[in-house]
Amino acid sequence: KILLYMKKVSNGLLALLTGGLMLSSMPAKTLYAQSPDTLQQHSIGYKLLPKKVKLQYAGSIGFLSTGIGYETKNKKWQADLMYGFVPEKYADDPIHSITLKMRFAPIQQNFDQFQVNWLNMGMFFNFSFGDNYFVKQPNYYEAGYYLMFTALNTSIFVGSEVYHKKFGFFYELATSSKHLINYAKSPNAIPFSSIWNIGLGINYYLK
């Protein structure tokens, strides 16, 4: 059901962005000579269309997160913009957040039916909304009570992805700068494995 929903969303985005946005600068003879697929690829909407839509579980950006992604032609450089949500069941209050994620995939391998990115590595910035999160310490806290922002988290991650047709299945291990600093201060008190969070997800590639 999740895969079917992602496919319907992607088809809707494609129709919305390509409909009525064909390049008006193309000569009429050239325009009418093109196939529908070629016309679509020359449209402004197609060029602005994200490369993929994605769904992720956990991974330090929300209980569930969804968003869009772009990548270069060689698929080595990627960027995602995502919305994440943590329900009240897992937090004092529901948490809403926005994440900007950047990824580099230097090791890729093609097989008959699938492709593998053996190493995905990068960083992301996660901004959480709500009364409990801030970028400037409120006046009712003593000076220096919080040494770092509570709303903004900077994290690094490593992972892998397997592609099959239009789907990509991935995992990521992520840790934040706050966790790294706390571990550096107390390495004997904090297990190294405890500062990492795993995320699992699906990408649906639109083009």
Side-chain angles (χ1 to χ4, degrees), residues 1-171:
K1 290 183 178 180
I2 292 176
L3 298 181
L4 181 61
Y5 172 76
M6 292 180 69
K7 190 171 183 178
K8 287 181 178 180
V9 171
S10 65
N11 289 338
L13 284 171
L14 183 63
L16 177 64
L17 290 172
T18 57
L21 289 175
M22 298 301 178
L23 287 177
S24 59
S25 60
M26 293 179 64
K29 290 184 179 179
T30 303
L31 183 62
Y32 290 117
Q34 304 297 322
S35 67
D37 289 340
T38 303
L39 287 174
Q40 187 181 82
Q41 293 177 12
H42 280 85
S43 70
I44 297 174
Y46 186 85
K47 293 180 178 180
L48 295 177
L49 188 70
K51 179 70 176 182
K52 59 189 173 183
V53 292
K54 60 190 305 167
L55 183 68
Q56 179 175 325
Y57 166 71
S60 299
I61 61 174
F63 178 77
L64 280 177
S65 305
T66 185
I68 58 175
Y70 294 85
E71 65 182 27
T72 57
K73 289 183 178 180
N74 62 11
K75 296 185 178 181
K76 288 190 175 183
W77 295 95
Q78 305 170 12
D80 303 328
L81 181 62
M82 304 184 69
Y83 160 76
F85 176 71
V86 179
E88 190 174 0
K89 179 180 179 181
Y90 302 103
D92 294 335
D93 294 303
I95 302 173
H96 303 268
S97 66
I98 296 293
T99 300
L100 176 62
K101 183 183 296 187
M102 294 159 287
R103 181 185 301 102
F104 178 55
I107 305 175
Q108 302 175 343
Q109 189 172 3
N110 293 317
F111 297 91
D112 291 338
Q113 298 295 326
F114 58 94
Q115 176 183 339
V116 178
N117 281 359
W118 292 107
L119 177 62
N120 288 336
M121 56 184 181
M123 65 184 301
F124 60 82
F125 302 95
N126 174 263
F127 188 90
S128 299
F129 300 91
D131 295 336
N132 295 327
Y133 303 96
F134 53 82
V135 293
K136 182 179 179 181
Q137 182 173 291
N139 294 328
Y140 49 80
Y141 288 112
E142 295 181 4
Y145 186 84
Y146 282 101
L147 299 179
M148 292 177 284
F149 304 136
T150 60
L152 181 63
N153 286 290
T154 304
S155 302
I156 58 173
F157 68 89
V158 295
S160 300
E161 182 174 5
V162 177
Y163 303 87
H164 178 65
K165 296 183 178 180
K166 287 194 172 185
F167 290 95
F169 304 89
F170 67 90
Y171 80 90

